[in-house]
Amino acid sequence: MNNIFRFKSFMRTPLFWFSQPMHKLIRNIGVSAHIDSGKTTFSERVLYYGGRIHEIHEVKGADSAGATMDFMELEKEKGITIQSAATHLKWKGHQVNLIDTPGHVDFTIEVERALRVLDGGVLLICGVAGVQPQTLTVHKQMSRYKVPRIIFINKLDRMGANPWSAIQSIRKRLSLTVAAVQIPIGQDQTFNGLVDLIKMKAYYFEGLKGEDVKETEIPERYMEEAKEKRQELIETLGSIDPEIEDLYLNEQPISEEKLKSSIRKNCQEHKFYPVFMGSAYKNKGVQLALDGVVDYLPAPEEKQNFGFQISQDQKEEKKIEFKTDTKLPFVGYAFKLEENKFGQLTYVRVYQGKLKKGDYVYNMKTKKRVKVARMAKMHANQMEEINDVEAGDIFAVFGVDCSSGDTLVYGDMNYQVLCSSMFVPQPVMSLSIKPTKKEYSARFQKALSKFQREDPTFNVDMDKESEEIIISGMGELHLQIYAERMRREFEIDVQLGQPTVNYRETITQKQQFDYLHKKQSGGAGQYAKVIGYMEPLQLEEGQFSNQFENHVIGTSIPNEYITAVEKGFYESVDKGPLTGYPVVNVRFVLEGGETHVVDSSSNAFMTATKYAFAQTFRQAGPEILEPVMAVEIMVPAPSYQQAMVGIAKRRGSVTNTESRGDMFVLNADVPLSQMFGYATELRGFTSGQGEFSLEYKRHDPVPPNEIETIIAKFKKQKRGQ
């Protein structure tokens, strides 16, 4: 007779805090995935089973309360996560700091800043769709910050769900070494439990909300599959772990402890990623995934975090590793700003040392020393004040003047260190914006300032010719959300212009320049000669920069004029000669020049540089670059030809096609400029059944036949002004 054990999660145990928790008992994790994969639903169950909340609310629930982590009114109305939200809970003696992140590509900076400070992650994959476009983006972000992760295949209760197809898509599209540590009991509507391949036990989730986890022997009809998949798990681990390989080849038994130890080690070394399964909406599998967080993801001291020590003269930086040691000076990284009913909050990850209420911190960017008057742990939009915090933890602080990405250190400027920076993607879309009434102007400027401090991907510029305010961001929804927030939070009605694409200009070949600027109009004239070359600056895909280099030998150009040349170059790249969009990835090398004893000046050399740049740019194989989006389109199978034709008309390049049940899935790279209005077209030929998602991928050269159209549009705008 099988032994049956019933155990409840900690939902009825009182929540307890250690003001100084042990480092090994902390897990800092994020939940990330493609949009609508169930991240917030998963997080809601984590909070419920961990005892942080006592009722489960759904993202689009009938009770209108909304999920705990989606506390913004806009999030509740639209049923999507717009900003990341932090909380904390206890699970089996461990403190888990959890950040729920958005899935929509327009809010990718929220994922970026969360993963920058986390030690581990849960990557959710839809059991029906498998790997989707934003899954690829999240995977790149996790890899960028070397975040170990477990994978949770969600929605196994859905029609057409297939965890093995999902695992194959992970291997194929993410190139990860993965294996299941569970198999499902039942399929689709009959899914009702899991088999643990490490313990070789079956688990069922009973009670009103799945809070009672029942452990039993594996049903006979699943024993053969369980043995087969356990063998696959061992073989996969054996391919990367010599100890497991030796035991396997010698046909020796491999214990539960040995398997868990191997998974933990290789997961933290980014060699292996265990795959868990379940249905968060149906309250199945979440507790076992939480066990995986504790068992396999690293504590803060087990993940390396690096920064830079600054020399006293501020000229040198030395790479250092931060230690999770409370005896060392405090180092914190401000990764998120938020203004709520308590005022402005700064979310901080502590990398080293400890901090108490009343201590002083020094901002390495602003060079200001400020007192920490209030500290708190956040639970979504609820605040719990604390008195101290130590290395490895995440907390919020009030009244500290800083921006996202600033480094805070203990006390004064004697301890000069910087945390490594966060990657900030370039905006891909712009809109003009203006308040509908003049009396809104002060609040309008305040709103723009606040949003820029909160979000590094939200940019605000003034068009000098039209005097319009231009906001730029990661997509149309991103900018529309900020316009809506102005209406709600600042009571401002605004008018938005038509969306425009953020093109870029660059060059493709090296070109010499030898330019003389000479002007005489009575009195002191202008004389400046600059000699050198311009060439393409090679950077990684998606990265933009420009570079000035001084290769002048001797004193043919005095230093003050070299500074003017550099300034003239950087002013020139602000607006390109062809379209007025910024110039990127150009190296400007100054090799020499000439001066006049009377007529040379900084202004003359700045002017000469601008003329030299404009002339040389047109001779150096100029190109216009346009943002290209990775698009995934899902349509009913009979509509696949219209989908293919539609993408071809929009200059799209198909990268993958596949069938998922009765749906056809098309992946393509399409210029952003061609995607405006596609939602209406898609609804039309699929009778409302089609859907698509897109994310920024790269900037590509505009085809020659399109260049003249873009240039003509730019010239027309200039004439109109």
Side-chain angles (χ1 to χ4, degrees):
M1 187 174 178
N2 290 344
N3 292 320
I4 297 178
F5 303 93
R6 284 184 179 270
F7 58 92
K8 292 194 175 184
S9 45
F10 289 98
M11 60 175 296
R12 290 191 176 89
T13 61
L15 180 70
F16 57 96
W17 255 125
F18 295 119
S19 60
Q20 295 184 347
M22 296 175 61
H23 307 142
K24 290 184 179 179
L25 299 180
I26 296 178
R27 297 292 184 271
N28 294 315
I29 67 165
V31 182
S32 304
H34 183 84
I35 188 171
D36 202 29
S37 293
K39 296 174 303 301
T40 304
T41 302
F42 179 89
S43 298
E44 188 81 358
R45 270 65 181 176
V46 168
L47 294 177
Y48 182 69
Y49 300 136
R52 286 302 279 128
I53 60 177
H54 303 290
E55 291 290 337
I56 291 177
H57 297 288
E58 305 302 342
V59 175
K60 299 177 183 178
D63 59 4
S64 75
T68 304
M69 303 298 271
D70 285 350
F71 53 82
M72 287 178 65
E73 287 302 318
L74 272 169
E75 291 177 317
K76 293 177 181 179
E77 287 178 17
K78 294 182 177 291
I80 61 171
T81 302
I82 293 171
Q83 63 178 11
S84 56
T87 187
H88 57 93
L89 61 135
K90 290 291 178 180
W91 186 257
K92 296 192 174 178
H94 290 72
Q95 174 186 313
V96 179
N97 294 322
L98 171 70
I99 298 182
D100 177 33
T101 63
H104 200 290
V105 64
D106 284 28
F107 311 110
T108 189
I109 190 62
E110 294 290 331
V111 186
E112 198 79 41
R113 65 168 126 223
L115 293 176
R116 165 63 184 80
V117 300
L118 295 173
D119 302 318
V122 180
L123 178 61
L124 262 66
I125 305 287
C126 176
V128 179
V131 171
Q132 297 169 277
Q134 190 65 1
T135 315
L136 295 166
T137 301
V138 170
H139 164 63
K140 289 177 186 175
Q141 291 169 316
M142 286 181 161
S143 299
R144 179 181 295 131
Y145 300 112
K146 296 180 171 59
V147 177
R149 73 214 76 153
I150 65 171
I151 296 171
F152 185 81
I153 298 180
N154 195 24
K155 300 189 177 183
L156 290 188
D157 62 303
R158 294 270 295 273
M159 186 69 69
N162 187 331
W164 312 116
S165 293
I167 287 175
Q168 280 303 107
S169 72
I170 294 168
R171 289 170 176 159
K172 179 182 176 182
R173 302 189 67 185
L174 303 185
S175 299
L176 295 179
T177 302
V178 299
V181 294
Q182 299 167 339
I183 64 170
I185 298 174
Q187 190 173 355
D188 299 346
Q189 299 297 317
T190 62
F191 171 63
N192 68 337
L194 294 162
V195 172
D196 187 321
L197 300 177
I198 298 174
K199 295 182 177 181
M200 289 301 281
K201 295 288 184 181
Y203 291 90
Y204 298 90
F205 305 88
E206 300 181 346
L208 190 61
K209 300 291 175 67
E211 65 271 20
D212 295 335
V213 183
K214 183 176 74 171
E215 180 187 290
T216 74
E217 298 302 320
I218 301 173
E220 189 63 35
R221 66 183 182 277
Y222 289 100
M223 183 58 76
E224 193 63 33
E225 183 185 7
K227 288 179 179 178
E228 178 188 326
K229 292 300 182 182
R230 190 175 198 269
Q231 183 90 341
E232 182 181 314
L233 170 63
I234 291 171
E235 289 176 358
T236 305
L237 285 171
S239 68
I240 54 176
D241 190 326
E243 190 175 352
I244 297 294
E245 182 184 33
D246 287 344
L247 292 170
Y248 175 65
L249 293 176
N250 292 319
E251 298 183 353
Q252 296 181 10
I254 302 174
S255 67
E256 173 188 334
E257 291 72 23
K258 186 69 68 177
L259 272 179
K260 291 178 75 170
S261 175
S262 177
I263 292 172
R264 178 176 177 80
K265 174 179 178 292
N266 288 290
C267 179
Q268 294 186 20
E269 292 177 358
H270 312 283
K271 296 177 182 177
F272 177 79
Y273 304 88
V275 179
F276 292 77
M277 302 179 185
S279 168
Y281 183 68
K282 294 294 185 179
N283 309 312
K284 291 177 172 62
V286 176
Q287 297 99 316
L288 301 187
L290 264 175
D291 289 344
V293 166
V294 169
D295 290 340
Y296 304 130
L297 296 182
E301 65 181 19
E302 294 173 309
K303 186 171 185 287
Q304 289 184 310
N305 290 292
F306 296 97
F308 300 93
Q309 187 157 15
I310 314 300
S311 61
Q312 289 295 323
D313 58 8
Q314 305 286 306
K315 293 182 179 180
E316 293 183 10
E317 294 182 356
K318 183 177 77 172
K319 189 175 182 179
I320 59 171
E321 181 181 354
F322 296 125
K323 300 293 184 181
T324 312
D325 187 342
T326 57
K327 296 178 182 178
L328 294 173
F330 169 83
V331 177
Y333 181 78
F335 66 94
K336 176 179 169 66
L337 302 185
E338 178 185 299
E339 191 165 321
N340 61 18
K341 59 186 178 183
F342 304 114
Q344 182 173 301
L345 289 171
T346 302
Y347 289 77
V348 180
R349 162 68 195 264
V350 186
Y351 285 108
Q352 186 175 279
K354 60 183 178 180
L355 190 71
K356 295 180 180 179
K357 186 166 70 174
D359 286 346
Y360 285 84
V361 293
Y362 180 77
N363 188 326
M364 289 294 296
K365 181 180 178 181
T366 64
K367 309 300 182 186
K368 292 181 180 178
R369 184 170 176 260
V370 62
K371 185 178 181 179
V372 178
R374 296 177 70 190
M375 302 165 64
K377 297 289 289 187
M378 298 303 297
H379 170 52
N381 62 339
Q382 301 299 313
M383 180 189 71
E384 300 165 6
E385 294 213 34
I386 57 174
N387 294 318
D388 52 27
V389 72
E390 66 176 29
D393 215 340
I394 293 173
F395 75 108
V397 63
F398 291 84
V400 173
D401 180 26
C402 67
S403 300
S404 181
D406 287 0
T407 300
L408 307 175
V409 299
Y410 181 76
D412 53 37
M413 59 186 299
N414 291 328
Y415 188 63
Q416 298 262 320
V417 295
L418 286 173
C419 295
S420 57
S421 61
M422 171 180 63
F423 175 76
V424 179
Q426 292 284 325
V428 298
M429 184 177 290
S430 299
L431 295 171
S432 63
I433 186 172
K434 63 180 180 181
T436 56
K437 296 180 180 179
K438 285 186 178 180
E439 55 261 36
Y440 292 155
S441 294
R443 279 179 283 162
F444 179 65
Q445 292 298 332
K446 184 179 179 181
L448 291 176
S449 177
K450 174 194 171 184
F451 296 154
Q452 284 185 94
R453 284 168 59 85
E454 288 181 2
D455 185 351
T457 62
F458 178 76
N459 293 348
V460 180
D461 293 296
M462 171 73 78
D463 189 302
K464 295 177 182 176
E465 294 177 344
S466 67
E467 296 187 349
E468 286 185 314
I469 293 176
I470 307 296
I471 56 173
S472 303
M474 300 309 298
E476 204 166 354
L477 178 62
H478 185 208
L479 300 178
Q480 288 173 348
I481 288 293
Y482 277 118
E484 185 61 31
R485 286 184 62 187
M486 286 185 186
R487 295 185 183 100
R488 295 177 184 231
E489 297 174 27
F490 293 89
E491 297 180 345
I492 303 168
D493 285 326
V494 295
Q495 181 179 328
L496 295 175
Q498 291 298 311
T500 59
V501 174
N502 285 353
Y503 294 100
R504 295 290 183 265
E505 297 183 26
T506 191
I507 58 175
T508 59
Q509 61 195 45
K510 183 176 178 179
Q511 182 65 41
Q512 301 285 337
F513 60 82
D514 185 339
Y515 188 86
L516 172 64
H517 172 63
K518 185 177 180 181
K519 187 177 181 182
Q520 191 72 42
S521 56
Q526 292 189 25
Y527 186 98
K529 187 174 187 179
V530 289
I531 302 170
Y533 62 89
M534 284 166 44
E535 65 179 0
L537 180 62
Q538 302 298 328
L539 294 173
E540 292 182 16
E541 185 176 88
Q543 292 191 351
F544 296 132
S545 185
N546 291 295
Q547 192 175 94
F548 173 84
E549 293 185 8
N550 173 24
H551 289 185
V552 175
I553 299 174
T555 58
S556 60
I557 303 180
N559 286 335
E560 63 266 29
Y561 296 162
I562 292 174
T563 302
V565 172
E566 181 177 7
K567 184 178 180 183
F569 165 65
Y570 283 115
E571 286 186 4
S572 296
V573 298
D574 282 345
K575 283 196 171 185
L578 302 180
T579 63
Y581 288 98
V583 174
V584 296
N585 297 355
V586 172
R587 178 184 283 112
F588 186 99
V589 179
L590 180 65
E591 295 182 305
E594 290 181 8
T595 62
H596 186 278
V597 66
V598 175
D599 293 342
S600 289
S601 64
S602 293
N603 186 52
F605 270 90
M606 193 183 305
T607 303
T609 301
K610 291 181 178 181
Y611 280 122
F613 176 86
Q615 184 184 85
T616 309
F617 185 89
R618 295 179 182 276
Q619 300 168 346
E623 280 187 339
I624 299 174
L625 304 177
E626 63 180 348
V628 174
M629 313 302 283
V631 181
E632 180 169 284
I633 304 161
M634 184 180 292
V635 299
S639 303
Y640 84 93
Q641 284 188 326
Q642 290 140 298
M644 297 280 284
V645 170
I647 288 301
K649 286 194 304 184
R650 295 172 182 270
R651 294 197 283 118
S653 173
V654 176
T655 57
N656 185 57
T657 60
E658 62 180 285
S659 295
R660 294 178 188 164
D662 58 353
M663 301 296 285
F664 176 78
V665 180
L666 168 68
N667 296 97
D669 294 344
V670 189
L672 175 61
S673 62
Q674 303 298 307
M675 290 304 295
F676 296 134
Y678 185 68
T680 303
E681 179 184 320
L682 183 65
R683 280 195 297 268
F685 73 77
T686 63
S687 301
Q689 297 179 66
E691 59 182 57
F692 80 101
S693 62
L694 73 168
E695 61 167 320
Y696 170 72
K697 189 171 185 180
R698 61 180 182 272
H699 269 69
D700 275 353
V702 173
N705 61 313
E706 297 285 335
I707 290 177
E708 290 305 317
T709 304
I710 297 171
I711 293 175
K713 185 178 179 182
F714 169 64
K715 290 179 178 178
K716 183 179 179 181
Q717 288 175 341
K718 287 194 72 174
R719 286 196 298 270
Q721 293 163 359

